Amino acid sequence: MNDFTYYNPVCIHFGKNALDELGEAIAPYAGPVLLVYGGGSIKRTGLYDRVMKILREAGRDVVELGGVMPNPRTEKVYEGIELCRKHNVGLILAVGGGSAIDCAKAVAVGAKTDKDFWQTFYVDAERATAAIPLGTVLTIPATGSEMDSSSVITNWAAGEKRGYDGDPLIYPKFSILDPTITYTLPKNQMAYGIVDTMSHLFELYFSAPDRENVTDDLAEGLMHALIRAAREAMADPQDYDARADLMWTSSVALCGMAGNGKDNDWASHNIEHAISALFDVPHGAGLAVVHPNYLEYIRPYATGKLARFARRIWGVEATLSEDEQAAEGIRRTRAFFHELGAPVTLAELGVSAAEIDRIAAATDLSAWSYKQLTQEDVKAILRMAQ
Ligand code: NZQ
Ligand code: ZN
């Protein structure tokens, strides 16, 4: 195990009645509330009305930042910063998925500085010195943003998608996790969220150290829960226990616990971020294409770990050679993503093979685990994904 410092202060309210806790959760943070939400799903499902009722009963003034798009863009963040300054916002409440939450996090630090939020935090990686407190009501299990200290924003004009990572100031103060809120998710969004969660676990698990350790054991347990719950929820979208497992698995996968003491990888995420910065594809869909091919590409450097994964997660027979086990584990992972309905080729994602060089040029190469990647490696991985 590597040395680590772990800090995660997010207060989680989990369960069928978790939204009942919202009034009490916001009470410590005075002032107008900035309500941040996406393209309209919360209005269609009635969640907007439920949240507004609670905020009204608490006597809070509400300012709205709606229309946050998937892969949230800088323009939306600037809009939110203006609203915060104009209305002297005291609490930001994101109701939605990773996109609404990440936009809210960017607004939270952006409103507290005179500098440009994008250049300062997302490009120059300077640390913020203050943030407006933030709470979330999660509507889709996927990114883990509800319980982590990262935010990913797209600068569409620059063709860049960047993270602002590891700042304790952007941990939500609280997150409301009610699995019944996810009943309304379309199946494609369910699939993307499941793939994203699995991909987070892969980024952590497929990295040194590889000697038996509790963090890898935890990741394997989460992978089992994810696969089981994914199949149950796909078969019966109203299966509460499956929805509950999906929601809690996605939060735990990226709250730090499944990566403590590990090197971490993030190469697949960086390749996907380049794809969605250029083609605006859903994050989980891009990962379903990239991650199995990335694992295939690093197979010669990660054979033992991939073989262990294949045996323990997919039940691949130990009688095969290690390399055959590793290959079979990757094959079953890709088949699982396909079974969920996620795309597994660039063509299925709607991205032409002619774009491979452009994607490789836009990929941040700073993160890797078993093999340091070059632009040529990224091109080779993407060619495998055609
Ligand atoms: O926008 P609305 O109308 O709300 O619809 C959303 C959106 O179209 C819909 N949806 C969400 N909950 C729903 C629902 N529809 C019906 N019923 C519900 N209960 O689902 C669509 C996707 O939502 P979005 O928030 O975009 O998805 P996700 O949570 O996957 O977030 C993706 C963003 O998070 C970033 C991604 O790069 C991407 O920009 N990530 C953030 C991370 C972090 N902060 O730690 C890490 C991740 O690796 C990732 O990069
Ligand atoms: Zn992700």
Side-chain angles (χ1 to χ4, degrees):
M1 279 266 226
N2 302 334
D3 294 355
F4 64 88
T5 300
Y6 182 60
Y7 170 71
N8 192 318
V10 185
C11 180
I12 298 293
H13 301 278
F14 191 96
K16 291 185 182 83
N17 302 308
L19 200 60
D20 295 348
E21 310 292 322
L22 181 60
E24 211 168 298
I26 62 173
Y29 312 102
V33 177
L34 180 74
L35 184 68
V36 181
Y37 56 92
S41 74
I42 68 163
K43 292 202 169 162
R44 288 193 298 279
T45 62
L47 181 59
Y48 172 87
D49 292 336
R50 292 169 69 199
V51 169
M52 284 301 274
K53 183 165 179 282
I54 294 166
L55 295 176
R56 262 197 309 272
E57 282 172 3
R60 305 299 287 262
D61 290 334
V62 179
V63 185
E64 296 189 30
L65 181 68
V68 177
M69 59 299 280
N71 300 322
R73 299 188 186 177
T74 46
E75 289 81 357
K76 212 46 173 178
V77 178
Y78 291 122
E79 206 181 313
I81 291 172
E82 278 311 305
L83 288 172
C84 286
R85 291 188 178 142
K86 186 166 168 210
H87 298 276
N88 202 16
V89 162
L91 172 71
I92 301 176
L93 182 63
V95 182
S99 296
I101 299 171
D102 285 6
C103 179
K105 288 174 170 176
V107 172
V109 286
K112 288 285 192 184
T113 178
D114 294 335
K115 298 183 192 166
D116 177 69
F117 92 90
W118 172 257
Q119 186 64 37
T120 309
F121 304 127
Y122 292 76
V123 178
D124 297 339
E126 270 182 44
R127 292 285 94 173
T129 52
I132 297 175
L134 161 83
T136 85
V137 177
L138 183 67
T139 64
I140 169 172
T143 65
S145 189
E146 67 281 3
M147 204 179 167
D148 76 17
S149 54
S150 291
S151 158
V152 183
I153 298 293
T154 297
N155 183 329
W156 187 251
E160 288 180 13
K161 186 177 195 184
R162 288 174 175 266
Y164 176 53
D165 301 309
D167 180 355
L169 281 175
I170 59 170
Y171 271 124
K173 299 290 181 199
F174 62 85
S175 284
I176 308 267
L177 274 55
D178 174 352
T180 66
I181 289 175
T182 68
Y183 287 169
T184 53
L185 273 171
K187 282 205 167 164
N188 62 342
Q189 295 295 344
M190 280 174 71
Y192 304 154
I194 293 159
V195 171
D196 191 22
T197 302
M198 186 62 106
S199 177
H200 295 157
L201 292 168
F202 287 174
E203 300 280 21
L204 305 168
Y205 180 83
F206 291 111
S207 75
D210 292 315
R211 220 194 95 165
E212 297 284 342
N213 66 79
V214 62
T215 301
D216 281 344
D217 288 344
L218 178 62
E220 288 173 2
L222 293 168
M223 288 179 206
H224 281 299
L226 183 68
I227 294 164
R228 180 189 64 234
R231 287 177 167 153
E232 288 169 351
M234 281 291 179
D236 175 8
Q238 311 275 315
D239 182 333
Y240 177 80
D241 292 312
R243 293 293 197 171
D245 270 355
L246 286 181
M247 203 169 217
W248 191 225
T249 302
S250 66
S251 297
V252 179
L254 211 55
C255 74
M257 294 293 283
N260 285 332
K262 301 276 302 178
D263 279 359
N264 299 353
D265 185 335
W266 301 109
S268 292
H269 265 68
N270 282 347
I271 298 172
E272 193 295 313
H273 284 172
I275 298 176
S276 51
L278 297 171
F279 306 104
D280 202 16
V281 301
H283 175 60
L287 288 169
V289 174
V290 172
H291 219 144
N293 290 297
Y294 171 72
L295 293 178
E296 186 61 40
Y297 193 74
I298 63 163
R299 178 155 63 103
Y301 313 92
T303 316
K305 194 59 171 286
L306 279 162
R308 169 177 153 182
F309 160 78
R311 289 191 305 275
R312 295 194 186 172
I313 303 303
W314 296 118
V316 171
E317 300 77 22
T319 48
L320 297 174
S321 72
E322 272 217 324
D323 195 45
E324 285 166 344
Q325 292 172 37
E328 181 60 14
I330 296 167
R331 199 191 63 72
R332 293 198 197 181
T333 302
R334 190 183 282 113
F336 174 61
F337 291 169
H338 213 231
E339 168 194 328
L340 297 173
V344 293
T345 63
L346 282 175
E348 286 174 4
L349 192 61
V351 175
S352 156
E355 304 288 356
I356 285 176
D357 287 4
R358 200 149 75 100
I359 298 167
T363 300
D364 171 1
L365 299 170
S366 63
W368 49 278
S369 65
Y370 295 106
K371 183 188 188 317
Q372 183 160 17
L373 295 188
T374 63
Q375 248 188 55
E376 289 310 310
D377 292 321
V378 176
K379 286 182 199 170
I381 291 163
L382 292 169
R383 279 196 292 272
M384 291 161 67
Q386 283 180 64

